Amino acid sequence: METVDTSDRLIQLRKLMKESQVDLYIVPSEDSHQSEYIAPCDARREHISGFSGSAGTAVVTLDKAALSTDGRYFNQASKQLDSNWHLLKQGLEDVPTWQDWTAEQSEGGKSVGVDPTVITAPDARKLAEKIKKKGGSGLVAISINLVDQIWGKSRPPHPIERVDPLDLKFAGKPFEEKIEDLRKELEKKKSAGLIVSMLDEVAWLYNLRGNDIPYNPVFFSYATVTPTTATIYINSNKFNPSVKTHLGDKVHIRPYEAIFEDSKALSKSLGEEQISPSDPNVTGPRRKFMISTKASWALSLNLGGEDKVDEVRSPVGDAKAIKNRTELEGMRACHIRDGAALSEYFAWLEEQMTVKNATLDEVQGADRLEQIRSKHQHFVGLSFDTISSTGPNAAVIHYKPEPGNCSIIDPKAIYLCDSGAQYLDGTTDTTRTMHFGTPSDLERKAYTLVLKGVIALDKVVFPKGTNGLALDTLARQYLWEEGLDYRHGTGHGVGSFLNVHEGPIGIGTRVQYAEVSLSAGNVISDEPGYYEDGNFGIRIENIIMAREVETRHKFGDKPWLGFEHVTMTPMCRKLIDEKLLTAREKSWLNEYHKEVLEKTKGFFEGDRRTMKWLERETQEI
């Protein structure tokens, strides 16, 4: 990770800011659809700041520049930012949020500019209020992105990758049924319709998949659904001919850019009174369009502003997070294949490190793992950049090795591998921390404390209505007892052949995790960790699925839930301090390893190296 000189870019940006009559300019990480992972053409914050992490916001004044990011990226940002930038370490005491810092800098009547397509309507509204309270002149929507102007011809082109239908044997439910379910929600909420702006929601709703964003099988699009119509906004030259057959005459196709003009027309068409879709003789108060709280400020403005729309948590996102029976079975199946690939990789890597004394760098390791995965059924590609990290690099939570700029894997140090793949039947995300030499007592203790947290969350039973904020301490408790912790969430939702990070559910300390309770059918990660900057990092990650469980009692006469793990590759025996495990935890570990062996050994007929490694790593303790 090299420092990037941003001096010339900032000079150019400040010139454009003066021409646009703004004193501050905000550059978020997200694209027009609030995507966490973005296409190269939308990496504006990285271009202006040099920081390549997936989360963060840049704010530039006429004489200062600040980058705010969370604990996953403190280490990385400190290495990549040059002296022009001040790093705001989000979440630490006495460190302002980027919103507060922006408001403070706006004192004295200064104006703040932002591209309205890359900030949500609620965030824009809250920020405008903060600016006003601090004496700033306000938040200004600048329709032409200033970073794009600086980038010019060197900006990567907008992707035009092909879109394909997802076979029903993988989707599990026809898109027509999903549309009808959504229309029932619209009627229940007395809504005129919903504008779908999140890319994974459009893909899921219509059982389509694309490749516009690396590692995410989505495509640039919007969708609108009303009681009587369904429309997709997309550049139709992306369509495989089979897509039009798939959609039939039930769905209208409009150009991607038409969404804003059409939104204005939709808003105007409602008038002051609304005719009931079920009875044209009945009229009532004007119905509003629903948009997600993740929809852009630009979309809200074109619909007439906050008084003309209902901002809600997307009903499509909620439905997508509860996987159907086919999707759940697909997640089980793809994780068995993926676990087999990981075991084959670790067995190979151990041999390279300890028997052949090979010299391999982190990228070569990651490439080998991808090669092994690619031979498995239904493989499409990776679900994110593989974090192949040795020694101190493992302490960089979202480390990304690059060819020519990475480390040689050290057999005497911790090796952390966080990786995943996209399969037609599901999405995987697994982290294992390994050691090919003799780990220190501290490394073994830290690993075992993290493992205890994984087990605690895996085994929990909880009443329906419990949220991820309430469960988070289960994974941290053993680290907390030692005065240790980690600066990332404990779990994120996972898509079904969709985004590896999927809302609205999660397990962690963020307030939003208290907003949505966990439900049967949710697929989520279980990934506590511990990191010592400059020394080592440890993380263990399994994917778990929420399901109803039988309990002796039924307090409150409500369902009770637990988790089913689907990740199928062993823990690192060498890093486990058995003295720190209870009898219950040892029993869980033995049963888990027995399950891993039984479900994956069939992949290794004729592969003596992997089979020998797997049998050793899954022995009872």
Side-chain angles (χ1 to χ4, degrees), residues 28-63:
S29 298
E30 295 78 14
D31 60 15
S32 300
H33 304 270
Q34 289 298 297
S35 306
E36 178 186 8
Y37 294 98
I38 54 177
C41 62
D42 289 319
R44 301 178 178 97
R45 190 226 54 226
E46 179 180 348
H47 182 74
I48 197 63
S49 70
F51 168 62
S52 62
S54 68
T57 301
V59 185
V60 179
T61 76
L62 295 177
D63 59 0

Side-chain angles (χ1 to χ4, degrees), residues 318-336:
D318 285 356
K320 174 168 57 64
I322 299 175
K323 308 296 185 281
N324 61 49
R325 186 176 299 177
T326 300
E327 291 171 322
L328 293 172
E329 190 52 47
M331 292 298 273
R332 293 184 186 100
C334 74
H335 276 86
I336 292 171

